[in-house]
Amino acid sequence: MLSAGRIAIALALSGSALAANVQKANLVLPRSASGHRDAVEKIFTDSYSAYKEFAFGHDDLSPLSQGFSDGRNGWGATIVDAMTTMHIMGLDDLFAEAVNFSSKIDFSKSQTPDTVSVFETTIRFLGGLLSAYELSDQKFPALLQKAQEVGDKMAFAWVGSNDIPFGFLDFSTNTPQIDTSNIAEAGTLSLEFETLSKHTGNQTYANLALKSVLHVANLAAPLPGLAAQGIDPATGEFVGGYVTWGGGSDSYFEYLIKHARLSNTNDNTFADTWHTAVDSSIKNLLRTSTVGNHVYLADFDSSRTIRHISSHLACFHGGNWLFGGRLLNNQTIVNVALDLVDACWNSYAGDATGIGPEAFAFISSDGNFTGGSPPSAAQLAFYKKNGYYITSSDYILRPEVLESNFYAYRVTGDTKYLDRAASAVASFNKFLQTPTGYAGLNDVNNVNGDKIDDTESFWFAEVLKYLYLTFDDPSHISLDDFVFNTEAHPFKAPPAKAVYGTSTIRTPSKPFTLKQGPPLPAISPNPFVKQVNIPDA
């Protein structure tokens, strides 16, 4: 295994050639793949049938109580989020029904008393509507009309001369909730807003989203390229100095390279900042477990201390690094990415159900500090067997491990990634299935544990789409033709440029100054499970 120093040298040298396609050329699936693809489609149709029976028009199915919940403002999140997966699977009747429903959503106000999350509404509703519009060859202009309606409402999150939007809005009054935000909320809007600009001809949408990303990218950061998690839209300054590829930061980094690819922009800030973040992560965050030699990215807190933790959310990083590594023609990044993919899959393989936990920790040569309690005797025993230990045992139908597994197969063609996806399908059918669709787990390491009474819309949008595409014809929704938003809604991309970025590592213009502030917003809150404590900023 390469040392961090040798990797850093390779990083600097390996980005000078012409960029390659993301996908492995002439990729051919084995015959067995079609059976697994059909099994995934059946999970989707069974899940959606239960949703239609007990929750249609509401946001999420409650599979255990055979009811519904409306955590996404009551606009029918599952329908809009599932729509692109329906189209990809060729479920034409369901897609037509979803288009008809989506064409009538009233975005003038929340259908619940809640404020509206700009981030969640962008990735699920705006992203879902625009992607479905593109996938259906723009045959349904009502989808674009609804996308523009919700985009116009979310523009009120930018107040005065602020570059950073506030995270939550009252749609009835078009006023934001004045509060802190995080870089994921502020920096995960570009793909959707620029696609809205593309189809409306109004560049204002893209300009709003991009000025937020550029503002974050140009702030002095705790580590080169690695922005702090918290940010205050009112001042435009970071709150705290916590660095992570996990929730609250994740999709800001994800969208840096994805915006560069989707837009083919000549502004190298995006690709170079992403490259710098990866380089800095390898130098400062990369750790190898003392058991199993698994490769993880640690967190870095405001006291500049490494925290030996990771999460299901963070496990998108392997797929993102594969995507960006290929665009930069940087094999070193690709190699490290594959190590990250393997380590995240190990968090599935080590559990009794074969499904990964919400959060986990590890031990490396520099210790086991997590910011919380030291590992218990039971956790240490688990670690000695598996090379990680569970710190939050629930599974709420998250996609990230299988997302990265999908990228790994499309990039390498190695059939071990097909085997892993098939294993996940089998585990889902064995442990998540209920008489009313599929439900999450309170404890992934307990085969007889309780289930969670919620089917999040991203089960339809992400988990089942990535699994289906893993087993589908690689030329269908090719990674060379589409860029996925963070909710797995694919946007059509122009032909790739010869090269992305300058292969230059960005140097800080000034030193980082730690500034504390009000508490940060909860990260990916789910009322159906006990929340993990948010790391101190």
Side-chain angles (χ1 to χ4, degrees), residues 429-450:
N429 278 324
K430 185 173 183 180
F431 296 109
L432 304 184
Q433 196 169 13
T434 78
T436 314
Y438 288 70
L441 300 174
N442 276 310
D443 186 355
V444 294
N445 205 40
N446 182 354
V447 296
N448 298 310
D450 294 334

Side-chain angles (χ1 to χ4, degrees), residues 169-197:
L169 285 167
D170 182 336
F171 264 28
S172 296
T173 61
N174 298 328
T175 55
Q177 179 177 310
I178 307 302
D179 204 349
T180 56
S181 187
N182 60 53
I183 60 171
E185 290 183 354
T188 312
L189 312 170
S190 56
L191 302 188
E192 298 84 359
F193 275 67
E194 68 186 306
T195 301
L196 184 57
S197 287

Side-chain angles (χ1 to χ4, degrees), residues 113 230 243 316 328 465 486 491 537:
V243 171
F316 89 96
L328 271 60
K465 183 185 285 108
T486 199
F491 294 128

Side-chain angles (χ1 to χ4, degrees), residues 78-407:
T78 287
I79 299 170
V80 180
D81 235 1
M83 194 158 42
T84 57
T85 309
M86 294 169 185
H87 193 279
I88 286 168
M89 290 182 174
L91 302 172
D92 295 340
D93 290 345
L94 289 181
F95 181 76
E97 179 183 61
V99 169
N100 182 60
F101 176 89
S102 300
S103 302
K104 300 173 183 176
I105 297 174
D106 179 9
F107 284 122
S108 67
K109 62 183 183 299
S110 173
Q111 305 305 309
T112 69
D114 305 308
T115 54
V116 175
S117 166
V118 175
F119 166 76
E120 295 287 0
T121 305
T122 295
I123 66 174
R124 302 192 200 210
F125 289 98
L126 184 57
L129 290 165
L130 290 170
S131 178
Y133 178 67
E134 290 194 340
L135 290 174
S136 57
D137 295 324
Q138 306 178 29
K139 293 177 182 175
F140 302 101
L143 296 177
L144 177 60
Q145 177 189 341
K146 287 298 170 181
Q148 188 165 12
E149 285 179 15
V150 74
D152 286 344
K153 297 291 282 189
M154 288 190 290
F156 287 101
W158 283 265
V159 174
S161 60
N162 291 359
D163 288 345
I164 306 296
F166 288 100
F168 291 84
L169 285 167
D170 182 336
F171 264 28
S172 296
T173 61
N174 298 328
T175 55
Q177 179 177 310
I178 307 302
D179 204 349
T180 56
S181 187
N182 60 53
I183 60 171
E185 290 183 354
T188 312
L189 312 170
S190 56
L191 302 188
E192 298 84 359
F193 275 67
E194 68 186 306
T195 301
L196 184 57
S197 287
K198 168 185 166 184
H199 291 295
T200 62
N202 185 346
Q203 189 62 25
T204 300
Y205 304 113
N207 291 344
L208 286 172
L210 292 175
K211 75 174 181 176
S212 181
V213 181
L214 287 168
H215 183 104
V216 175
N218 287 316
L219 286 176
L223 293 168
L226 290 170
Q229 182 184 65
I231 195 163
D232 185 348
T235 66
E237 296 180 344
F238 288 135
V239 177
Y242 199 91
V243 171
T244 180
W245 282 77
S249 299
D250 44 9
S251 45
Y252 159 75
F253 297 116
E254 175 188 355
Y255 272 33
L256 287 170
I257 191 65
K258 285 186 172 181
H259 163 66
R261 174 64 186 93
L262 183 63
S263 67
N264 278 347
T265 177
N266 291 320
D267 184 346
N268 290 314
T269 303
F270 303 94
D272 286 350
T273 302
W274 182 87
H275 189 182
T276 303
V278 171
D279 176 79
S280 188
S281 297
I282 289 172
K283 291 174 180 175
N284 297 287
L285 307 181
L286 202 69
R287 294 293 185 274
T288 302
S289 62
T290 57
V291 173
N293 291 321
H294 302 293
V295 176
Y296 300 109
L297 288 185
D299 285 6
F300 180 86
D301 68 22
S302 293
S303 65
R304 307 190 70 80
T305 302
I306 286 290
R307 295 193 180 189
H308 301 76
I309 58 176
S310 190
S311 65
H312 206 293
L313 282 168
C315 280
F316 89 96
H317 48 32
N320 185 244
W321 287 27
L322 286 169
F323 181 76
R326 292 288 286 174
L327 291 177
L328 271 60
N329 196 33
N330 192 312
Q331 190 61 36
T332 301
I333 295 176
V334 170
N335 291 343
V336 178
L338 292 172
D339 287 341
L340 293 172
V341 172
D342 284 347
C344 283
W345 174 254
N346 184 58
S347 74
Y348 273 52
D351 300 337
T353 61
I355 300 169
E358 178 73 2
F360 55 94
F362 56 91
I363 302 170
S364 60
S365 60
D366 61 341
N368 65 0
F369 180 73
T370 64
S373 302
S376 66
Q379 287 174 320
L380 280 174
F382 187 93
Y383 172 77
K384 289 175 181 177
K385 180 181 178 183
N386 297 292
Y388 71 98
Y389 61 93
I390 297 169
T391 55
S392 183
S393 62
D394 53 290
Y395 175 66
I396 62 168
L397 312 180
R398 289 206 188 277
E400 292 80 13
V401 172
L402 296 171
E403 171 187 355
S404 288
N405 187 74
F406 159 70
Y407 277 87

